[in-house]
Amino acid sequence: MASGTQTQTASRVHIGGHRTGAWLVRYALERLPVSHTFGIPGVHTTELYDELSQSEKICAVLPTHECCGAFAADAISRTATGQIGCLVIVPAAGVTHAMSGIGECYLDGIPLLVITGGPRTDVEFGYQLHGIDQQRLVDGIVKRSWKVKEHGEIVPVIFEAYRTAVSGVPGPVLVEIPVNVQLFSAPVEDAPVFTPYEPEPANLDRELDSAVQILCNAQSPGIFVGWGAVDVSDSIAKIAELLGAPVSTTLQGLSAFPGNHPLHTGMGFSRAAIPAAENAFAKCDCLLAIGVSFGEIPTGSFGCRVPEDLIHIDVSPAAIGRNFPAKVGLAGDSRVIVPRLLARLQARGADQSARRARVEAAIAKDKSAYRDEWRHHVNDRVNPALFFEELRRQLPDNAIMTVDDGNHTFLAAELFEVQHPRCFVSPTDFNSMGYAVPAAVGAKLANPQRQVVSIVGDGAFLMTGLETITAVRLGLDIAYFVFNDGELSQISQGQEIPYNRKSCTTLGEVHFHGIAEAVGARYVAINNNSEISHGIRQALTASGRPAIVDVRIDYSKRTRFTKGVVKTAVKTFPFRDKARFLSRALIRKITG
Ligand SMILES: Cc1ncc(C[n+]2csc(CCOP(=O)(O)OP(=O)(O)O)c2C)c(N)n1
Ligand SMILES: [Mg+2]
């Protein structure tokens, strides 16, 4: 570690010497929970990269594209508790390339620290390389950004940026360090001591009392959990058991409640959810929502029915009651609030075991019927339900799955059982395709002992699939299951229903073995149901190399999600446009 610790007072560390800005950046990053940085060096960051190459604590990783670097860094924050993903990138072009990943972190509430170089500030010249106002560029997708002016600011600004990224609603932050400040040395007297962030306890006694009262009086309570609840899933399980309440999750929060718990229902609870969830919440008269913002995906395009008795816990005060009015709002960190709610329910002696048994039996029956419906949908391609069941059987409980955005995402959500917190990561609200392949690299680097798999659509794989070369170079055992259907299916299915026609969504045939050969990955093909078990076993065999698995998937049965959201969306159209849509689809059906 770069040390400057000759003497240390309570809040300052003595440095006392000439230091380059790059040395100071390394010094600051080494004190943060940063294990890896991602980025492609350029003339504005070479001094920084030279410093990082000497670090024993931080490993600088070269991706193929800054967007991939950002997705990989995001997955570090999501899958490694307490760690923060970090980018070290060139100004302007590096930042614009990274912006999809930065945006993903922004809308999904994921901390990310972006360090970027900047043009020289010690010369008069204009029109410098990469010369652009970066703070303006990223304004809508970061919590805050800084442009450092001098050496003494570097350590305090990076510490403050980290604190901003992880506190409140977590999110991305950006620090620009002009290249002259990085390259040249200047005297620096001291630096602040780094103090880890602890969530602050809020005084919510009155709200907690009301919440307990409402929950205990409810006849049919339900629980809805999101990513904001991912670190309190044990407490949530106990609350659900005490109340005999079914639990539904968001897409991003699929891992916030174990999929094999008998009270787990599925993603969402609208008509776009699987029957176990839709039925379990049909008579819900009190909803306890934890770490959710009631966004578009998990509500099935806002098509869910939310009872008047909504108890809403979220770290964002703005999210509470934003989409559905809350009777009781508790703004704060779920890690603080949920254990206190559980303690109060326990003290009150809440026990609904008869209700619990009834609810669990209904969920089990509905889940089994839904699985059977899928199992019986057979043709000569790979059945998604049989694939996900076998994958679950072969994977350890704590395996991490990264998914992309597409039909495969919702198939995974409906048919794969996620069992542990932070074991399922998806690009949710910014909803950027191309996420899964690089995210798996970040997840594996942060969790080298754990199995990491990726479910990725063929379209998404074409965006960032060459990032598999990074996994090859780093010797990462990752199984990339490419759902090969030749289409941008999530959209083409969405076109088929209301338009009875597809446009601009056919990919054509891609020879994935050629890509595997080009990057040096293993290639496995799964063409039909009889090849599922063997193919997955081959893909998961440790070899120090990633595997690209070409899964000839059957997309002929639509997910509940797709069917549900299309119906809900059309319902909200003005009458005139609804009639136009329906008659157009009908005419096209008749005329072809
Ligand atoms: C960057 C980006 N472009 C476009 C979209 C719109 N979109 C959402 S899902 C999807 C289809 C993805 O196709 P593929 O990766 O093949 O997955 P599939 O739906 O076939 O499983 C598209 C185009 C998006 N979410 N992100
Ligand atoms: Mg596809």
Side-chain angles (χ1 to χ4, degrees), residues 35-36 38 72-73 75-81 83 400 439-450 452 476:
S35 58
H36 296 82
F38 298 87
I76 290 209
S77 297
R78 291 193 207 223
T79 61
T81 313
Q83 291 281 312
I400 296 170
V441 170
K444 186 69 181 173
L445 286 172
N447 303 273
Q449 307 307 331
R450 286 162 66 187
V452 174
L476 305 179

Side-chain angles (χ1 to χ4, degrees), residues 322-344:
R322 168 65 181 81
N323 284 346
F324 297 93
K327 183 152 270 175
V328 182
L330 296 103
D333 198 306
S334 66
R335 290 169 294 182
V336 176
I337 297 173
V338 173
R340 287 169 62 190
L341 178 61
L342 170 63
R344 275 174 149 78

